[in-house]
Amino acid sequence: MSTVLINSDEIYKLLEDVKDPEIDTVSILDLGMVEEVTVSGPDVSVKMLPTFLGCPALPIIQKNVETAVKQLPTVRNVSVTFLRCPSWTSDRITEKGKAGLKVFGISPPPRQMKKDGSWHIDCPYCESKYVTMENIFGPTACRSILYCKACKNPFEAMKPMIKMI
Amino acid sequence: MENESLKNMAIKELLLHLADDDFIHAYRGSEWLGLAPHIEEDVASSSIAQDTMGHAAIFYQLLEEIGEGTADRLAHDRPANERRNAIILEAANGPGHYMKDPDYDWAFAVVRNYFYTQAKAIKIQSLQSSSYEPLAEVAQKVQMELYYHLMHWKLWFVQLLGSDHEEAVSKMKAAIEKTLPNFAGVFSLGQYGEEMVEQGLIEGEATLRKKWIEAITPVFESVGLVTTFEMGMAKGDGRNGVHTEDLETALETLSEVYASDKAASW
């Protein structure tokens, strides 16, 4: 009987289906949370980066990753660990991830801030620049609450998390 | 051999300072849930408390990794006299209880939050070049989150003191008077302080304190306040396990669930 080798591409494919527990249009891959997948025989190790240290979704994500990887019958053990280094930054979110955030009504984080630390976000519904920040803090650690003066919609935006800050 | 154990003690004590400070600070912050001045503030301050609890958890995690017991035990199962947090951080939010007749002092919350967050930002900045690599790594991540906390509390501080509203200004001034006499405890590095500095774990107390004054002076000036910062440790140094009844009461409340079943999974 020959051994079936696990290909890490297969693992990545499965991880595409692991969504953010609170934003079901974005996968953990597109959020840039997966740092490394290593396969050693039948054992798989997934190294991830926490978005925010106190994020209560981390244990749920960890469990969902384990469940997803175990779907592959050739997998024996899965270990999911959160790394301290490098730090997750919001520029790890892929273009697909940004599109997914917008579908959910969340503006993606800007890539850069101005020198004074301010940043600009467009309305995810009507693209207007005529928006106001209502609260830097939102329903989850990674989100802020804004209001669009053009289409009169309240909306959320993902906070920029950038090394320089 | 003796040097080695001294070095380990310094790392352990520093991690305990950081973890215990954030832990009780986050707890006091969480007691405001549902009681903050308006709903946006309720969202913001509880989000900050959650982040801060995450910081405490990662510092306890670092202690767990050097064999100091599990993070859960360190957080929930240590009596007050083993805690290392600064005394000003354990002070109750005000008279009453959050479940019954809370008469909490928002001005004190703003002042304590702003002063502490600024002090933490300076320590975290220093820790980024710590000789203890795991701590330096964590500090980078904490810094990014802290940026938003500091922005938030500074805004409250400046707006209330710059409001020209007599009640707001006098309450804020009283809160500053209440905070400073014990605020030196936040900068205290305790009995292993010299060792910490020698090992390059963190900068010395005097340097940290000087940087804090430099950061906070322009903000005081912007609201027309005189900038003399006479801070002390009137109630003692929490780094040496000296604490007040406020900490005892808080620990009793926050450990209630853990104490009822220590083997429960979280």
Side-chain angles (χ1 to χ4, degrees), chain A residues 112-120 160 164-165, chain B residues 147-148 151:
Chain A
Q112 283 172 326
M113 285 180 176
K114 289 184 197 153
K115 278 219 173 85
D116 64 358
S118 67
W119 68 91
H120 187 82
M164 60 164 271
I165 65 174
Chain B
Y147 171 83
Y148 291 104
M151 192 196 259

Side-chain angles (χ1 to χ4, degrees), chain B residues 20 22-31 53 60 71-78 83 85 89-90 97-98 246-260 266:
Chain B
D20 288 347
D22 274 349
F23 184 68
I24 194 70
H25 181 64
Y27 174 76
R28 288 297 178 212
S30 72
E31 282 187 315
M53 197 50 96
Y60 285 130
D72 275 350
R73 191 199 71 81
L74 289 164
H76 292 286
D77 203 12
R78 284 157 60 228
R83 304 270 168 167
N85 62 273
L89 303 177
E90 72 201 33
H97 184 264
Y98 68 90
D246 283 3
L247 182 62
E248 304 260 358
T249 321
L251 291 178
E252 222 169 86
T253 308
L254 67 88
S255 301
E256 200 181 337
V257 178
Y258 181 81
S260 72
W266 291 72

Side-chain angles (χ1 to χ4, degrees), chain A residues 17-28 31 33 48 51 55-65 104 140 143:
Chain A
D17 293 330
V18 182
K19 306 294 181 192
D20 180 311
E22 283 162 319
I23 312 167
D24 63 11
T25 52
V26 186
S27 78
I28 54 157
L31 281 174
M33 291 181 74
M48 301 188 53
T51 50
C55 177
L58 296 178
I60 304 171
I61 292 173
Q62 182 172 8
K63 208 165 167 243
N64 292 350
V65 169
F104 204 79
T140 68
R143 283 137 80 178

Side-chain angles (χ1 to χ4, degrees), chain A residues 51 53 56 84 135-136 160, chain B residues 40 50 65 138 141 145 148:
Chain A
T51 50
L53 290 172
R84 281 196 288 267
N135 198 343
I136 292 178
Chain B
E40 286 82 6
Q50 183 185 303
E65 285 169 22
V138 166
K141 180 69 181 156
E145 298 181 17
Y148 291 104

Side-chain angles (χ1 to χ4, degrees), chain B residues 13-255:
Chain B
E13 285 292 316
L14 178 57
L15 289 174
L16 280 173
H17 297 177
L18 298 164
D20 288 347
D21 272 1
D22 274 349
F23 184 68
I24 194 70
H25 181 64
Y27 174 76
R28 288 297 178 212
S30 72
E31 282 187 315
W32 275 101
L33 183 60
L35 303 171
H38 50 70
I39 193 162
E40 286 82 6
E41 184 51 35
D42 220 34
V43 172
S45 62
S46 50
S47 187
I48 291 173
Q50 183 185 303
D51 284 349
T52 308
M53 197 50 96
H55 301 168
I58 196 94
F59 293 131
Y60 285 130
Q61 189 69 44
L62 292 181
L63 281 157
E64 185 173 327
E65 285 169 22
I66 57 168
E68 292 301 322
T70 66
D72 275 350
R73 191 199 71 81
L74 289 164
H76 292 286
D77 203 12
R78 284 157 60 228
N81 62 14
E82 284 181 23
R83 304 270 168 167
R84 295 287 185 266
N85 62 273
I87 285 180
I88 189 64
L89 303 177
E90 72 201 33
N93 289 317
H97 184 264
Y98 68 90
M99 295 288 280
K100 197 174 179 285
D101 306 326
D103 186 15
Y104 288 176
D105 182 349
W106 184 247
F108 175 54
V110 169
V111 170
R112 176 164 64 176
N113 282 322
Y114 174 48
F115 281 14
Y116 174 66
T117 309
Q118 182 62 70
K120 183 174 162 185
I122 279 157
K123 280 193 191 180
I124 291 293
Q125 180 72 43
S126 178
L127 290 171
Q128 287 186 52
S129 24
S130 177
S131 62
Y132 190 55
E133 192 67 25
L135 191 49
E137 288 172 7
V138 166
Q140 272 207 10
K141 180 69 181 156
V142 170
Q143 157 130 339
M144 281 192 257
E145 298 181 17
L146 206 55
Y147 171 83
Y148 291 104
H149 303 180
L150 185 56
M151 192 196 259
H152 183 77
W153 295 122
K154 192 195 274 182
L155 185 66
W156 265 105
F157 186 83
V158 169
Q159 289 203 337
L160 286 179
L161 272 164
S163 65
D164 283 336
H165 190 284
E166 201 188 323
E167 191 187 348
V169 174
S170 68
K171 280 189 174 176
M172 287 294 285
K173 283 183 177 166
I176 295 170
E177 298 289 313
K178 181 177 171 181
T179 307
L180 281 175
N182 280 292
F183 200 71
V186 171
F187 298 103
S188 167
L189 294 177
Q191 53 176 324
Y192 295 93
E194 266 177 47
E195 187 61 24
M196 287 175 196
V197 178
E198 230 160 77
Q199 297 294 336
L201 297 176
I202 190 168
E203 287 166 293
E205 286 177 30
T207 310
L208 297 170
R209 210 202 281 217
K210 185 169 163 272
K211 286 185 179 178
W212 183 84
I213 292 173
E214 276 166 13
I216 227 150
T217 297
V219 179
F220 263 63
E221 284 171 353
S222 76
V223 290
L225 282 184
V226 186
T227 52
T228 48
F229 297 102
E230 282 176 29
M231 56 178 93
M233 287 193 279
K235 291 180 182 167
D237 189 353
R239 308 296 186 215
N240 298 332
V242 179
H243 294 287
T244 63
E245 215 184 297
D246 283 3
L247 182 62
E248 304 260 358
T249 321
L251 291 178
E252 222 169 86
T253 308
L254 67 88
S255 301

